């Protein structure tokens, strides 16, 4: 059986009888706004306008005639293996439930609706009955009954429908309890159970108004073929103003209208040619027959016109019916990634009697090797304007990063590392730059001295302590001893959380350099010992001058005059500042230590530190690693604005960094940072140089 596209969507209108208003004779007075003509059986005239459909039925049409004309062809399609849907749409009280035959009331044959008639024919065609052993049966038939109430799906055949766990299911409900059907009695049972459980309420417009959308699905199992016939009784669209509903009924009305709006959207999608629709009974492969129920009342004209519009739009839907077997095979292919050939026919059989997956709810599978924890992160919105290519590149890079399990990088953030603030970092960076400059000058000076020096005997060359002032010594080393200038702190100590390096006696610094901050505690041996591992590139002369100077300071033989400020400080006995404390410490020598001496001490510390570093690669490396770890910690905590304060980091890079950080959780090591795709415009090495992490110990 081949179905052409035109036959796949069939639209019909049916006129409802006049409502019983309770007012005697009113129906005799009121004229219908609908006109039907025998000459044009497909047309209906609404308020003077002609609308044409596949079928139009006036109020006198019988249930049997309606079924034979409209639904019987659909039954034949279902028996041929196609999924089909018959749906009633329209204003409340216009006979949708009556037409569909959803009620279990005992009624005369003429009033029997579509569902029982469909089942009767299907059982007959399949040679199924409950009298015989069904040896001659061509297959099996099952039925399910579900409702969608307030946007939630309920299995009306569940034992206790009010039990939330058994009745409430996923919104994209695609199946339900399937009962085997062998006779009309079986159907009556499920209709009784279903209608008993279904939400119905008396309203101004209908004494028995359905408050939910109901779906009876007849499953036809013929060998390997499994097709479905969905019969849908939609709740009626209602104007809250006209129904006068309040409370729960009003809320129900809102949900009903929302659900109908959803159907409108699906219809619009199908009209636009989209094929991925997440509804099993309303999709691009499922043949559809729509029965639009309209009211003859002039007072309902707006609702009638709205229903007519809905029916006209429904005709625009692009549906390409496919054999349900093909659909299931496609579904299996998509869901399991297996070939259609491998699809187990047994699986289809097993699906019956329990929830059956949607035949078209195909979702793209995530990449098999994707990190499950990070999968959600990929759905994180990319910055606006990001091109698909850049998104792809970013994803690739992220995958690479996530799959990299290299934890061996020495920049791993140690626990307890305090991240410096951006302000601190920038200050430290400035200090670092000054230090670099100072060291550069020092190297140049040393080079000059080495060229000039003719290596005289040490004893003769070494000046007397009294002859060597701090200024002379410091100028030898740093050329920065001008009063008020900062003394450069030692390298690699800068990038810690403590920015107070200038003109302060940093205890830890001195400790690290093996020289105590108190001159009295600096022994000549310690100083000489600190000076001993003098690097070969320092001249011997410089080395000896340094050692001599340390000894002079230790012995209090420095003859430099005190500065006025220091004298005042020591005399006033004011609050003990660091400087005053230092001054007090020198009381034993009868002299207070002034700023020059403090600078000297700092300079000593710097020199000692440097010597130690030159002599001990391990400590230098440790400081560098600490700096790197701290900076990495900073990258893990700073805001976009703060990150932009870093050198080489603009708004785009900062934003990208934050995004990558949110994807990864945090940067585990510098290798991860280096591999980020954000370094396209500026190379990572330039950034590393700018933030001083490229220094290799
Ligand atoms: N063609 C018809 N012949 C005889 N009675 C009808 C016909 N259409 C509807 N009725 C009667 O009208 C009343 C309302 O019909 P029905 O409950 O089917 O409306 P509905 O559109 O399903 O309303 P709702 O959307 O509120 O559920 C019922 O009592 C029904 O028996």
């Amino acid at each position: 059986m081949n179905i052409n596209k035109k036959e796949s969507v069939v639209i019909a209108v049916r006129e409802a009888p006049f409502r019983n208003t309770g007012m005697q004779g009113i129906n005799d007075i009121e004229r219908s706004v609908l006109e039907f003509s025998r000459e044009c059986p497909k047309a209906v005239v609404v308020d003077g306008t002609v609308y044409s459909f596949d079928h139009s039925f006036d109020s006198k049409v019988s249930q049997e005639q309606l079924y034979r004309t409209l639904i019987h062809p659909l039954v034949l399609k279902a028996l041929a293996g196609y999924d089909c849907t018959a749906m009633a749409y329209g204003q409340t009280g216009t006979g949708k439930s009556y037409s569909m035959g959803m009620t279990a009331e005992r009624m005369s044959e003429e009033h029997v609706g579509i569902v029982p008639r469909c089942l009767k024919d299907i059982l007959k065609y399949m040679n199924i009955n409950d009298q015989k052993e069904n040896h001659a049966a061509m297959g099996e038939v099952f039925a399910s009954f579900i409702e969608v109430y307030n946007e939630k799906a309920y299995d009306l055949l569940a034992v206790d429908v009010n039990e939330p766990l058994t009745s409430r299911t996923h919104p994209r409900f695609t199946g339900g309890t399937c009962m085997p059907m062998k006779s009309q009695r079986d159907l009556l049972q499920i209709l009784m159970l279903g209608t008993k459980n279904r939400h119905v309420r008396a309203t101004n417009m209908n004494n028995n108004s359905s408050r939910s959308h109901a779906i009876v699905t007849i499953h036809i199992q013929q060998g390997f073929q499994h097709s479905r016939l969905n019969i849908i009784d939609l709740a009626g669209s209602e104007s809250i103003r006209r129904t006068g509903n309040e409370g729960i009924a009003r809320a129900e009305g809102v949900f009903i209208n929302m659900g109908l709006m959803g159907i409108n959207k699906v219809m619009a999608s199908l009209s636009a040619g989209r094929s991925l629709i997440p509804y099993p009974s309303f999709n691009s492969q499922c043949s559809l027959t729509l029965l639009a129920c309209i009211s003859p009342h002039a007072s309902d004209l707006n609702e009638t016109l709205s229903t007519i519009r809905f029916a006209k739009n429904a005709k625009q839907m692009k549906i390409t019916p496919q054999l349900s077997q093909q659909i299931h095979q496609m579904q299996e292919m998509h869901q399991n990634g297996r070939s259609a050939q491998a699809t187990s026919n047994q699986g289809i059989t097993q699906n019956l009697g329990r929830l059956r997956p949607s035949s078209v709810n195909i979702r793209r599978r995530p990449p098999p090797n994707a990190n499950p924890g990070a999968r959600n992160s990929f759905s994180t919105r990319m910055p606006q304007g990001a091109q698909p290519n850049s998104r792809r590149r970013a994803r690739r890079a992220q995958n690479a990063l996530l799959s990299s399990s290299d934890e061996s990088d020495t920049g791993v953030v140690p626990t307890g590392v305090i991240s410096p603030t951006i302000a601190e970092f920038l200050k430290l960076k400035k200090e670092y730059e000054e230090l670099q400059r100072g060291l550069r000058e020092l190297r140049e000076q040393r080079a000059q001295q080495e060229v000039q020096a003719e290596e005289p005997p040490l004893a003769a060359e070494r000046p007397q302590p009294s002859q060597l002032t701090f200024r002379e010594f410091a100028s030898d080393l740093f050329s920065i001893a001008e009063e008020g200038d900062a003394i450069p702190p030692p390298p690699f100590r800068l990038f810690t959380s403590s920015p107070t390096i200038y003109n302060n006696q940093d205890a830890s610094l001195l400790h690290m350099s093996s020289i105590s901050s108190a001159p009295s505690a600096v022994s000549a041996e310690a100083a000489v010992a600190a000076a001993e591992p003098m690097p070969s590139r320092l001249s011997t002369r410089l080395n000896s001058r340094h050692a001599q100077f340390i000894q002079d300071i230790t012995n209090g033989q420095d003859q430099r005059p005190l500065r006025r400020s220091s004298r005042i400080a020591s005399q006033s006995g004011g609050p003990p500042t660091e400087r005053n404390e230092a001054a007090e410490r020198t009381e034993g020598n009868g002299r207070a230590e002034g700023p020059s001496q403090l600078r000297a001490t700092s300079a000593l510390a710097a020199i000692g530190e440097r010597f130690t570093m030159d002599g001990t690669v391990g400590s230098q490396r440790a400081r560098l690693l600490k700096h790197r770890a701290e900076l990495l910690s900073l990258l893990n905590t700073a805001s976009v604005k703060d990150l932009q304060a870093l050198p080489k980091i603009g708004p785009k890079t900062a934003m990208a960094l934050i995004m990558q950080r949110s994807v990864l959780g945090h940067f585990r090591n510098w290798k991860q940072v280096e591999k980020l795709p954000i370094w396209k415009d500026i190379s990572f090495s330039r950034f590393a140089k700018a933030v001083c992490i490229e220094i290799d110990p």
Side-chain angles (χ1 to χ4, degrees):
M1 181 184 197
N2 283 328
I3 304 173
N4 66 39
K5 283 190 182 181
K6 273 192 173 176
E7 289 174 5
S8 58
V9 183
V10 176
I11 311 291
V13 289
R14 182 182 196 183
E15 182 189 27
F18 276 97
R19 272 193 306 274
N20 184 5
T21 58
M23 293 168 71
Q24 280 295 327
I26 191 145
N27 292 345
D28 301 333
I29 302 163
E30 191 177 2
R31 277 191 59 229
S32 172
V33 291
L34 309 174
E35 290 173 47
F36 296 87
S37 146
R38 280 178 184 254
E39 288 73 44
C40 299
K42 295 183 176 186
V44 58
V45 182
V46 184
D47 198 28
T49 308
V50 181
Y51 297 95
S52 186
F53 297 99
D54 296 304
H55 306 279
S56 73
F57 304 105
D58 62 15
S59 59
K60 295 187 189 75
V61 71
S62 69
Q63 292 282 66
E64 170 65 14
Q65 203 182 339
L66 177 88
Y67 170 74
R68 285 288 149 214
T69 316
L70 192 65
I71 307 297
H72 187 252
L74 209 60
V75 169
L76 296 180
K77 285 181 203 172
L79 285 166
Y82 292 91
D83 282 348
C84 304
T85 294
M87 184 161 68
Y89 180 94
Q91 184 191 352
T92 180
T94 49
K96 296 182 295 295
S97 304
Y98 173 81
S99 302
M100 289 298 166
M102 291 280 185
T103 56
E105 292 167 23
R106 293 205 175 269
M107 53 182 71
S108 60
E109 180 65 26
E110 63 174 313
H111 292 296
V112 168
I114 286 170
V115 173
R117 287 176 194 274
C118 285
L119 186 73
K120 189 178 172 188
D121 273 356
I122 289 168
L123 292 179
K124 192 177 100 187
Y125 284 121
M126 294 187 67
N127 212 2
I128 297 174
N129 60 64
D130 55 352
Q131 304 294 321
K132 298 178 262 178
E133 280 297 306
N134 280 323
H135 291 306
M138 291 165 63
E140 291 174 286
V141 177
F142 301 82
S144 62
F145 195 179
I146 64 169
E147 73 166 353
V148 179
Y149 175 69
N150 287 357
E151 301 281 284
K152 290 189 181 83
Y154 293 83
D155 182 359
L156 293 175
L157 303 184
V159 179
D160 182 0
V161 81
N162 291 319
E163 191 65 46
L165 287 177
T166 53
S167 63
R168 197 166 290 181
T169 57
H170 191 271
R172 286 180 180 173
F173 192 89
T174 55
T177 306
C178 287
M179 308 287 275
M181 294 287 116
K182 288 184 179 168
S183 68
Q184 289 292 329
R185 215 176 27 251
D186 294 335
L187 178 71
L188 196 66
Q189 272 182 359
I190 69 159
L191 287 181
M192 276 169 66
L193 186 60
T195 48
K196 191 184 100 197
N197 290 327
R198 194 179 171 192
H199 291 83
V200 175
R201 187 185 303 279
T203 66
N204 288 351
M205 309 284 282
N206 186 356
N207 288 336
N208 211 17
S209 178
S210 317
R211 312 310 289 161
S212 63
H213 311 297
I215 306 171
V216 170
T217 303
I218 299 175
H219 301 265
I220 303 167
Q221 177 75 33
Q222 301 175 78
F224 299 143
Q225 189 173 279
H226 173 209
S227 54
R228 294 179 300 173
L229 173 60
N230 306 293
I231 297 157
I232 305 177
D233 173 23
L234 294 173
S237 58
E238 57 185 43
S239 151
I240 288 165
R241 180 179 49 83
R242 290 196 61 206
T243 54
N245 289 339
E246 287 299 334
I248 297 174
R250 187 190 172 101
E252 285 169 350
V254 172
F255 279 114
I256 288 169
N257 291 339
M258 270 167 61
L260 296 174
M261 223 161 72
I263 290 171
N264 266 298
K265 279 186 190 168
V266 172
M267 219 171 65
S269 295
L270 288 170
S271 303
R274 295 190 190 110
S275 57
L276 273 177
I277 307 293
Y279 296 95
S281 46
F282 198 13
N283 58 61
S284 64
Q285 292 104 20
C286 195
S287 289
L288 178 76
T289 294
L290 177 75
L291 178 65
C293 296
I294 49 178
S295 161
H297 293 273
S299 55
D300 295 336
L301 187 60
N302 280 343
E303 284 87 347
T304 301
L305 285 171
S306 164
T307 304
I308 292 279
R309 267 198 302 276
F310 179 89
K312 291 299 283 180
N313 291 339
K315 192 63 189 171
Q316 307 302 318
M317 288 193 289
K318 296 180 179 68
I319 287 177
T320 312
Q322 284 178 16
L323 282 171
S324 58
Q325 200 178 354
Q326 291 170 353
I327 297 168
H328 297 151
Q329 283 172 348
M330 268 169 51
Q331 175 199 350
E332 289 288 321
M333 278 170 64
H334 281 273
Q335 287 190 342
N336 303 330
R338 279 184 267 140
S339 70
Q341 199 59 40
T343 305
S344 161
N345 290 320
Q346 198 188 353
I348 299 171
T349 317
Q350 284 170 350
N351 277 333
L352 290 169
R354 58 185 172 86
L355 295 184
R356 184 168 160 266
S358 161
S359 56
V360 289
N361 188 13
I362 299 161
R363 295 191 202 148
R364 212 165 284 166
R365 286 163 63 81
N369 58 347
N371 183 336
R375 202 169 291 149
N376 285 340
S377 309
F378 288 127
S379 63
T380 310
R381 278 170 181 253
M382 299 298 284
Q384 278 190 347
Q387 297 300 307
N389 274 346
S390 60
R391 264 185 231 166
R392 255 198 307 276
R393 269 201 305 275
R395 281 212 184 101
R396 263 204 303 271
Q398 282 161 350
N399 277 335
L401 284 171
L402 290 166
S403 58
S404 93
S405 56
D406 184 8
E407 300 274 351
S408 61
D409 187 68
T410 49
V412 172
V413 183
T415 49
V417 167
I418 303 160
S419 166
T421 64
I422 286 286
E424 282 172 347
F425 174 80
L426 291 178
K427 194 174 172 191
L428 293 171
K429 183 174 177 295
K430 211 169 158 193
E431 291 169 359
Y432 169 82
E433 283 164 355
E434 280 182 33
L435 168 72
Q436 292 285 53
R437 202 171 48 245
L439 285 176
R440 225 178 9 253
E441 286 170 9
L442 172 65
R443 278 193 208 103
E444 285 165 10
Q445 206 173 350
R446 276 207 309 258
Q448 277 177 11
Q449 285 169 352
E450 281 177 6
V451 169
Q452 287 165 9
E454 291 179 350
E455 295 295 332
L458 280 176
E461 182 67 21
R462 184 180 296 168
Q464 291 303 306
S466 56
Q467 295 172 324
L468 182 66
T469 64
F470 167 75
R471 234 167 246 263
E472 287 165 345
F473 174 70
S475 67
D476 269 347
L477 291 174
F478 292 106
S479 315
I480 53 162
E482 286 303 314
E483 193 164 307
D485 280 355
I487 293 174
F492 313 119
R493 174 61 192 157
L494 290 176
F495 300 95
T496 66
S497 52
S498 165
T500 51
I501 291 172
Y502 284 113
N503 293 341
N504 277 335
Q505 296 182 64
D506 187 334
S508 62
L509 180 79
L510 296 173
H511 174 75
M512 280 197 301
S513 64
S514 312
I515 300 173
S516 166
S517 58
S520 58
V522 179
S523 68
E525 292 79 13
V528 172
E532 260 176 9
M534 179 73 79
S536 58
R537 62 175 183 269
L538 281 181
S539 71
T540 317
R541 179 168 160 256
L542 204 57
N543 185 12
S544 62
R545 292 177 91 188
H546 162 245
Q548 182 61 48
F549 184 74
I550 291 172
Q551 208 159 11
D552 291 346
I553 292 288
T554 309
N555 299 331
Q557 290 173 0
D558 190 3
Q559 300 303 315
R560 288 165 291 161
L562 283 178
R563 282 185 71 204
R564 186 169 166 269
S565 59
S566 303
R567 281 201 305 274
I568 293 169
S570 60
Q571 285 161 14
S572 67
T577 60
E578 259 188 290
R579 289 184 183 194
N580 288 343
E581 279 174 358
E584 282 163 16
R585 279 198 298 273
T586 60
E587 268 176 14
N589 295 326
R591 297 175 52 205
E593 190 180 36
S596 302
Q597 282 161 307
L598 288 171
R599 281 202 302 276
T601 314
S602 290
L604 284 176
I607 296 156
E609 172 83 357
R610 187 168 168 277
F611 286 175
T612 310
M613 283 191 299
D614 282 349
T616 319
V617 172
S619 75
Q620 182 182 351
R621 183 178 167 79
R623 279 178 213 109
L624 172 61
L625 293 185
K626 192 173 176 209
H627 163 60
R628 286 166 57 127
E630 284 171 344
L631 190 59
L632 190 65
S633 172
L634 182 73
L635 288 190
N636 276 322
T637 52
S639 65
V640 179
K641 199 175 158 204
D642 284 348
L643 280 175
Q644 286 177 53
L646 286 174
K648 305 285 177 201
I649 303 278
K652 264 169 70 181
T653 314
M655 186 65 204
L657 257 173
I658 294 275
M659 280 193 52
Q660 305 278 356
R661 192 175 74 190
S662 68
V663 168
L664 296 169
H666 71 279
F667 300 122
R668 291 195 304 268
N669 50 48
W670 277 107
K671 267 187 192 162
Q672 265 196 347
V673 180
E674 191 176 356
K675 282 182 196 166
L676 295 178
I678 59 171
W679 309 113
K680 200 180 126 201
D681 298 328
I682 62 156
S683 70
F684 177 75
S685 60
R686 279 168 64 194
F687 168 74
K689 198 170 175 185
V691 293
C692 316
I693 56 161
E694 94 294 3
I695 307 159
D696 204 18

